Amino acid sequence: MFVNSPFVRQPRLRGFTLIELLVAMAILGVLAALAAPSLRTFIVRNTFSTIGNEFSSSVLRARNEAVSKNMCVTMCMSTTVDTTTGNGPTCVTSGQDWQVGWIVFLNPECNASIDRPRETNAAGNLVNAPENMLLVRRQGKTDYSLMSQSSTQKILFNPRGNATLSAAGRFDLTYTDNTLSNAYASSICLDKMGRTRPVPAAATCNTY
């Protein structure tokens, strides 16, 4: 067989025409427009779940460390997690949104006023103890909020794992888009025993 023979029909190589390409792009655009709302909803719901799990896991970590080490543990909001000074991240004394970040550290003195890992040295002086830092959670996405409804910036867990709260605290997860926030937002209740549980948005938290 002579491939180059003029009597042998050569296959024609054919690509997409401009019209076919435009039609395909139009179809993809329609499909993307239909999928975008569902994808955004999925992302918002998944982010809510992630933030809630991070917060509850941090509370559980603080509570377990307090019990296992038989000493107080502090968990607090911290805006200096990403811009630390020589003394390391410190607790804040104002604000309600825990999305700014938080830290968990050992507090051997059981001193509620301590704003960073510190302990008393042999000379009886209170000094920095960065080795007592247990957990650092950096600032989260700014279009989401984890708002404390009791203006709680700091939680002290005693050696029994109980949180030194006067009543159960509620933390509301919200999103900047009110439509999605109202549809998928939720809350977290933290009781005086140091236990958390997810509840519907703005539900009443009982001290149990």
Side-chain angles (χ1 to χ4, degrees), residues 9-174:
R9 182 185 294 272
Q10 298 295 325
R12 294 181 61 187
L13 299 177
R14 183 172 180 271
F16 292 107
T17 66
L18 179 60
I19 294 177
E20 290 173 333
L21 182 61
L22 292 175
V23 170
M25 291 178 64
I27 293 174
L28 288 175
V30 171
L31 293 176
L34 293 174
S38 297
L39 179 61
R40 188 182 182 199
T41 296
F42 171 79
I43 292 174
V44 170
R45 295 180 65 178
N46 186 65
T47 304
F48 274 145
S49 177
T50 298
I51 296 171
N53 289 339
E54 286 179 338
F55 181 77
S56 296
S57 296
S58 297
V59 171
L60 181 61
R61 170 78 183 277
R63 189 169 186 256
N64 288 345
E65 290 286 351
V67 173
S68 64
K69 291 184 169 55
N70 193 34
M71 69 172 62
C72 291
V73 172
T74 295
M75 175 176 171
C76 66
M77 290 170 51
S78 175
T79 58
T80 58
V81 170
D82 295 294
T83 56
T84 60
T85 64
N87 293 323
T90 61
C91 300
V92 299
T93 57
S94 62
Q96 294 177 263
D97 188 5
W98 282 67
Q99 270 290 81
V100 298
W102 62 75
I103 57 177
V104 178
F105 57 89
L106 298 177
N107 187 345
E109 310 298 324
C110 282
N111 186 343
S113 66
I114 289 178
D115 62 355
R116 63 171 63 94
R118 309 191 78 184
E119 62 184 12
T120 303
N121 62 13
N125 299 318
L126 198 60
V127 297
N128 292 332
E131 67 276 8
N132 286 343
M133 185 72 76
L134 298 174
L135 183 150
V136 173
R137 195 270 196 178
R138 300 187 180 280
Q139 182 180 24
K141 297 180 179 179
T142 55
D143 46 351
Y144 294 84
S145 298
L146 179 59
M147 302 294 291
S148 169
Q149 298 308 300
S150 55
S151 297
T152 300
Q153 295 94 27
K154 183 186 294 183
I155 308 164
L156 181 68
F157 296 86
N158 65 26
R160 297 181 61 183
N162 298 336
T164 55
L165 300 174
S166 58
R170 194 184 81 214
F171 302 82
D172 293 344
L173 281 161
T174 58

Side-chain angles (χ1 to χ4, degrees), residues 1-10:
M1 179 177 180
F2 298 95
V3 176
N4 294 323
S5 172
F7 302 103
V8 177
R9 182 185 294 272
Q10 298 295 325

Side-chain angles (χ1 to χ4, degrees), residues 169-183:
R170 194 184 81 214
F171 302 82
D172 293 344
L173 281 161
T174 58
Y175 181 58
T176 50
D177 185 320
N178 289 333
T179 300
L180 291 175
S181 186
N182 293 336

